[in-house]
Amino acid sequence: MSYNIAGEGGFRPNGLSKGALLLASMLILMGAAAVAPSLNGIEEEFGAGKFLTSMIITLPALSVALFGFPMGSFADRIGMARTFMLSLAVFSVFGVAGYFADSIWFLLATRFVIGIGIAGISTSTTALIGMYYSGEERKRVIGMQSAFMGVGCVCLEIAGGILADIAWNVPFLIYAIGVPILLLASYGIRDVRPRSFDDGGMERQEMPHRRSVMALCYVAIFVAMFVMFTIPVNMSDYLTRMDVSMTLCGIVLAIMGTAQAVVSSLYARSKRRMGIASVFLLGFLLQAVSLCLLHLENFPVTCIAIMLCGMAMGIMVPTIVSTLSMASPAGSEGKVMGIYSMVMNLGSFCSALVVDALIESLDFADAFLYVGIAAAVFAVAAALFGSRMNKKAV
């Protein structure tokens, strides 16, 4: 790689850099967030079945799962900044294209391509944070990144719900948000060469059981997204049975993003952070309780359940990203974060397929209950595995 070293006679990350990275982080989960309240309208508009309609949400996740690692390798070769800006352009163009869709197949095609853009944004954004910042500052920015992901869900789901009440295709105009972020990035984002001897580098050299830790993080983000994605994909139909409007549906879904943003922000500021085993135990138990509460099919309880799931993501996402960032070998940040994006979105895609099958054979309430039980089992397993690694490291 032929990048400039940040801070040495050239580019130095500044406020514009941080702003562009954090605003772009809002888009990482936007593949589903903005148009989730429109699913009923899309199904009625094109006469598509539930499976094809649900693919509007899941296809971007599948695309990221397929292109996450290739985009990471691509970014390592041509540079994170170029990948970042090219991905923002793809995201905006093909996101807005959904507004003009005249068939379900055209819409599905644009959703698949937008996933490629999200793969590039997710990979390059997270890698650039790890390359621009080190030590406690890196941990704070990663916590802020998770908070902005939550804020993105809040703003986009509320806006998507309001716009979906106007027409099914209006929420697709929200994807134009990538344009101003691209303009900001053109001034604040530059390629850098990873520094080998900062405190982040020392952390990488001294991390015991690096591969095992990274494997645990990859499995954990897969399961976390599998459980979390159960909610936005099905919430439109779930709340419709309670005679809830799409605007209110968007507001309810925004509770998750709000909880994630608040918890991530508080966790980033805390100097006493839990170990990885404790984080996974607490996080997956919160998700388990959340899904089990949805079994009750009560609107106030539903709001509480969604808040608990957001809190779980608020502590797990920054912990996983920070751990992977510290474990990444210098020069391979793109590949490491590409795999992260891949397994994260593979979890979302598998969730839609598996949970949809459960709902077809059972019901919403029972499907949520079974997913919640599975999350509780994984909470214990991940905590035991993490504790075992900690003991070996001592």
Side-chain angles (χ1 to χ4, degrees):
M1 292 179 293
S2 58
Y3 309 158
N4 296 320
I5 301 176
E8 289 190 8
F11 174 70
R12 185 185 296 272
N14 51 36
L16 291 177
S17 308
K18 186 178 293 186
L21 292 172
L22 292 178
L23 288 173
S25 297
M26 295 172 59
L27 312 181
I28 292 175
L29 299 180
M30 191 177 165
V35 298
S38 291
L39 291 184
N40 276 339
I42 293 171
E43 186 173 352
E44 293 175 3
E45 174 70 18
F46 297 114
K50 179 174 173 53
F51 176 76
L52 274 182
T53 305
S54 68
M55 292 294 283
I56 301 296
I57 299 294
T58 56
L59 259 186
L62 175 62
S63 182
V64 177
L66 292 175
F67 287 93
F69 183 75
M71 286 298 289
S73 299
F74 180 72
D76 282 334
R77 291 188 178 184
I78 74 161
M80 296 296 168
R82 292 176 183 175
T83 303
F84 181 68
M85 288 186 270
L86 178 62
S87 299
L88 281 170
V90 171
F91 174 90
S92 299
V93 171
F94 286 90
V96 173
Y99 176 82
F100 304 98
D102 56 2
S103 73
I104 189 68
W105 302 110
F106 176 84
L107 190 55
L108 290 173
T110 62
R111 301 299 289 170
F112 185 82
V113 178
I114 198 177
I116 300 175
I118 294 174
I121 293 170
S122 177
T123 298
S124 57
T125 299
T126 309
L128 283 167
I129 289 174
M131 295 163 70
Y132 281 0
Y133 309 101
S134 61
E136 287 299 314
E137 179 65 11
R138 177 191 291 147
K139 292 178 181 178
R140 282 192 292 270
V141 177
I142 288 173
M144 292 171 65
Q145 180 193 34
S146 179
F148 269 74
M149 289 168 65
V151 169
C153 287
V154 172
C155 298
L156 300 171
E157 281 164 348
I158 291 177
I162 294 172
L163 295 176
D165 277 334
I166 299 174
W168 68 267
N169 60 340
V170 178
F172 288 92
L173 296 177
I174 296 175
Y175 289 90
I177 192 175
V179 175
I181 298 175
L182 177 58
L183 293 175
L184 183 62
S186 66
Y187 290 99
I189 300 297
R190 297 290 184 274
D191 283 320
V192 298
R193 184 169 67 247
R195 291 169 289 181
S196 301
F197 300 104
D198 63 1
D199 53 352
M202 292 300 293
E203 287 170 338
R204 290 170 182 154
Q205 294 172 10
E206 297 171 0
M207 177 175 285
H209 307 292
R210 178 188 298 177
R211 292 184 178 179
S212 296
V213 170
M214 292 173 70
L216 177 60
C217 287
Y218 288 142
V219 174
I221 194 62
F222 175 90
V223 176
M225 291 302 295
F226 183 99
V227 176
M228 186 278 287
F229 213 69
T230 302
I231 294 176
V233 171
N234 298 291
M235 198 50 51
S236 177
D237 289 336
Y238 180 75
L239 291 178
T240 297
R241 304 200 314 181
M242 303 180 195
D243 295 324
V244 173
S245 69
M246 290 302 98
T247 298
L248 188 54
C249 176
I251 294 173
V252 170
L253 285 172
I255 293 174
M256 184 188 301
T258 303
Q260 179 176 345
V262 171
V263 173
S264 294
S265 179
L266 294 175
Y267 189 66
R269 295 177 183 178
S270 174
K271 294 189 180 295
R272 298 184 63 183
R273 297 182 178 88
M274 296 182 291
I276 193 169
S278 299
V279 166
F280 289 155
L281 179 62
L282 176 60
F284 286 112
L285 283 180
L286 284 173
Q287 283 195 324
V289 173
S290 170
L291 271 293
C292 290
L293 286 176
L294 290 176
H295 175 73
L296 301 177
E297 296 193 76
N298 176 275
F299 184 72
V301 174
T302 296
C303 295
I304 295 172
I306 290 176
M307 179 186 68
L308 292 177
C309 191
M311 292 172 63
M313 298 301 290
I315 62 171
M316 287 195 289
V317 170
T319 299
I320 291 170
V321 172
S322 180
T323 303
L324 289 175
S325 179
M326 289 187 294
S328 302
S332 297
E333 289 85 356
K335 295 184 182 69
V336 171
M337 293 307 170
I339 296 173
Y340 165 77
S341 298
M342 180 183 72
V343 296
M344 178 174 67
N345 286 275
L346 188 60
S348 302
F349 180 74
C350 292
S351 173
L353 295 181
V354 173
V355 177
D356 185 59
L358 283 175
I359 291 173
E360 289 292 330
S361 59
L362 300 170
D363 192 13
F364 283 107
D366 291 336
F368 289 148
L369 179 62
Y370 285 129
V371 174
I373 293 172
V377 172
F378 188 80
V380 177
L384 291 175
F385 186 74
S387 298
R388 185 179 177 184
M389 286 192 302
N390 289 338
K391 289 180 180 179
K392 286 183 178 182
V394 175

